[in-house]
Amino acid sequence: MDTIFALASAPGKAGVAVIRISGPLSWEAVRLLVGVIPQPRQSTLRKLRDPDGEILDEALVLVFDQGASFTGERVAELHLHGSIAIQRAVLRVLEGIAGLRMAEAGEFTRRALENDCLDLTQVEALSDLIEAETESQRIQALRVFSGALGKRIESWRRMLIEAAALLEATIDFADEEVPVDVTGDVLARITAVISAVGREIDGMNAAERIRTGFEVAILGAPNVGKSSLLNALAGRDAAITSDIAGTTRDVIEVRMDIQGLPVTLLDTAGLRETQDPIEKIGISRALQRASLSDLRVVLVDEHGIPDVPLGDSDLILTTKADLTGDASGISAYTGQGLDHLLSEIGHRLSAIIQGAGLATRERHRVAFFDGRESLERSIQLLNRGPGFYDLAAEEIRAAIRALEILVGRIDVENLLDEIFSTFCIGK
């Protein structure tokens, strides 16, 4: 492979900038810059020089041997002072070294996949880990990045390989006088995998919610205090507030971290009968988004509950407690009850993610469903007798292929291109 390099830390001025080099010439590039290659995995302070001997920077230099690095190749890292000028100068020198080129987006991670340092689920988890904004997202991404999902899939794959091998052995010895009946052993393995895959499918909705975030809609009549509540919870003026009814026309979104969970609060148009066509559109959008949200906070005042169907999970609160003196109500003006509201939202959303699985993406869902359907067909064929064992074995192999696609054992270039296009250069 080519030797590639790129800025591995965030672009721009910083205290420290890290440039990563990976490939067969990475250590040679370090020798050209600092003169002496340090011992693997022992950081050493060295002066970096350009081809004319001019000092570029004084940096920590770290090298990793093949098989002991993130990519599985020989790797070098230069921990520079974070000046943009220094970064550019060092990158310019690397560009001038024969055999080196700038890395493409996600190319370091792709090499880790190709060198069996990561499986495809770990690659996706690494992307999620980089994008994580809340504690729950970090924990979930780290679980998958550690290889937990890949290990589960590998255990299912081994069980199915054993099941297929038992069937094929029976087919090979079908002409023997006393053929061994392996149906029970095969069925036990298949049903165990179907059950495990089913549990993972059941936990996908909760896992996806952790990854993509929850939506909490704030509903109520005009001027009940929805926008004021949104601003108070967000700690900024995200929505326009006014005494004029119908000020909010479109859905206003604010992203928040509530008890470690990613939550988007939705401020919606006031619910009422109106002849204003624009306001009607706003109310329609409010009801539509609210119907798709994970939780609805319904605000009420002295005029009562708005004319909207309520569900058992809806959180109904009285507002403007600073004016009414209601000790159990909330007030966006004084902050009364807001901490309790955030705690209740976090509690209810946490209940949703109980039993969350490790799979989080639509391609995971498709592969699980395809694999389970193949296994269910294999059971039907097994129950029809030995004459259908060859077809049952083929259905088991189809399920194995579905699992292999999940972890990237089967090369699917279009899928890989799509996944790695979301990575930044340097990762």
Side-chain angles (χ1 to χ4, degrees):
M1 287 186 176
D2 297 338
T3 298
I4 56 175
F5 66 90
L7 183 68
S9 52
K13 184 168 61 175
V16 176
V18 178
I19 291 177
R20 177 181 290 156
I21 313 166
S22 181
L25 297 179
S26 57
W27 288 18
E28 176 62 17
V30 167
R31 189 189 65 77
L32 293 175
L33 283 168
V34 305
V36 178
I37 299 172
Q39 290 296 311
R41 307 185 79 161
Q42 294 183 10
S43 60
T44 309
L45 190 64
R46 290 282 189 269
K47 287 183 172 62
L48 306 185
R49 299 178 185 272
D50 67 14
D52 297 325
E54 294 293 326
I55 295 177
L56 299 168
D57 190 23
E58 190 170 38
L60 285 175
V61 180
L62 185 62
V63 299
F64 301 86
D65 209 345
Q66 184 173 342
S69 70
F70 173 72
T71 64
E73 304 171 330
R74 278 194 167 186
V75 167
E77 289 184 356
L78 310 174
H79 296 229
L80 317 167
H81 292 97
S83 156
I84 294 175
I86 291 174
Q87 296 174 35
R88 288 175 178 170
V90 175
L91 290 172
R92 193 161 50 244
V93 170
L94 291 174
E95 286 176 348
I97 298 177
L100 271 65
R101 66 168 174 83
M102 183 72 77
E104 299 174 359
E107 192 168 4
F108 290 104
T109 309
R110 186 160 186 161
R111 291 192 175 192
L113 173 69
E114 291 168 346
N115 292 324
D116 294 326
C117 297
L118 299 174
D119 66 39
L120 199 50
T121 62
Q122 290 176 293
V123 168
E124 292 167 325
L126 177 58
S127 175
D128 291 341
L129 190 59
I130 293 169
E131 297 294 329
E133 298 176 336
T134 68
E135 184 67 4
S136 61
Q137 290 175 322
R138 180 192 69 81
I139 291 172
Q140 177 176 264
L142 203 55
R143 286 173 66 201
V144 183
F145 183 61
S146 69
L149 181 56
K151 289 174 184 174
R152 287 185 189 179
I153 292 170
E154 181 59 27
S155 69
W156 302 338
R157 177 178 170 273
R158 283 198 303 269
M159 291 176 70
L160 295 180
I161 289 174
E162 291 169 1
L166 286 170
L167 276 183
E168 286 161 0
T170 301
I171 294 168
D172 290 341
F173 293 97
D175 294 333
E176 297 291 329
E177 291 184 3
V178 188
V180 178
D181 184 5
V182 298
T183 307
D185 290 339
V186 172
L187 283 174
R189 287 170 170 79
I190 293 175
T191 54
V193 174
I194 287 177
S195 178
V197 169
R199 287 194 297 271
E200 197 62 46
I201 291 173
D202 291 340
M204 279 199 67
N205 287 337
E208 284 178 322
R209 276 289 176 261
I210 295 174
R211 177 174 172 265
T212 61
F214 296 88
E215 285 195 349
V216 175
I218 304 174
L219 295 176
N223 277 353
V224 77
K226 300 183 299 298
S227 298
S228 297
L229 176 61
L230 180 78
N231 290 343
L233 294 177
R236 61 185 176 88
D237 291 336
I240 298 173
T241 58
S242 168
D243 293 333
I244 302 172
T247 300
T248 302
R249 299 295 182 93
D250 209 346
V251 178
I252 298 173
E253 303 182 6
V254 172
R255 185 84 164 183
M256 290 185 64
D257 179 337
I258 298 180
Q259 295 188 0
L261 300 173
V263 178
T264 299
L265 294 177
L266 308 177
D267 178 24
T268 60
L271 305 178
R272 66 172 179 175
E273 292 292 332
T274 180
Q275 300 303 314
D276 186 328
I278 304 299
E279 190 176 357
K280 280 185 176 181
I281 295 173
I283 293 172
S284 175
R285 289 183 179 179
L287 293 173
Q288 182 182 23
R289 288 295 296 275
S291 69
L292 299 174
S293 63
D294 301 286
L295 178 64
R296 305 195 305 179
V297 177
V298 182
L299 303 185
V300 300
D301 55 14
E302 68 274 12
H303 300 297
I305 298 176
D307 185 18
V308 58
L310 297 178
D312 294 337
S313 62
D314 290 341
L315 185 56
I316 302 174
L317 300 170
T318 56
T319 63
K320 303 182 181 179
D322 54 302
L323 301 177
T324 64
D326 184 355
S328 63
I330 64 170
S331 169
Y333 180 70
T334 65
Q336 176 183 321
L338 297 191
D339 288 342
H340 177 72
L341 171 59
L342 289 174
S343 177
E344 183 64 19
I345 290 173
H347 174 72
R348 295 195 180 202
L349 296 182
S350 294
I352 295 175
I353 64 173
Q354 295 300 315
L358 295 173
T360 58
R361 297 171 186 259
E362 184 59 26
R363 79 171 194 91
H364 301 167
R365 189 192 306 276
V366 171
F368 283 144
F369 271 106
D370 288 349
R372 186 169 67 174
E373 288 175 359
S374 293
L375 294 178
E376 289 171 347
R377 286 193 294 269
S378 73
I379 290 177
Q380 294 171 2
L381 291 165
L382 281 171
N383 290 332
R384 295 177 68 179
F388 294 88
Y389 279 4
D390 55 341
L391 296 176
E394 183 55 38
E395 291 292 352
I396 295 173
R397 284 192 289 269
I400 293 171
R401 286 193 293 272
L403 296 178
E404 289 176 334
I405 289 174
L406 254 180
V407 293
R409 281 180 175 269
I410 296 177
D411 189 17
V412 277
E413 283 299 319
N414 292 338
L415 173 63
L416 296 182
D417 289 341
E418 180 179 345
I419 289 172
F420 285 110
S421 68
T422 64
F423 278 73
C424 59
I425 292 174
K427 201 63 185 174

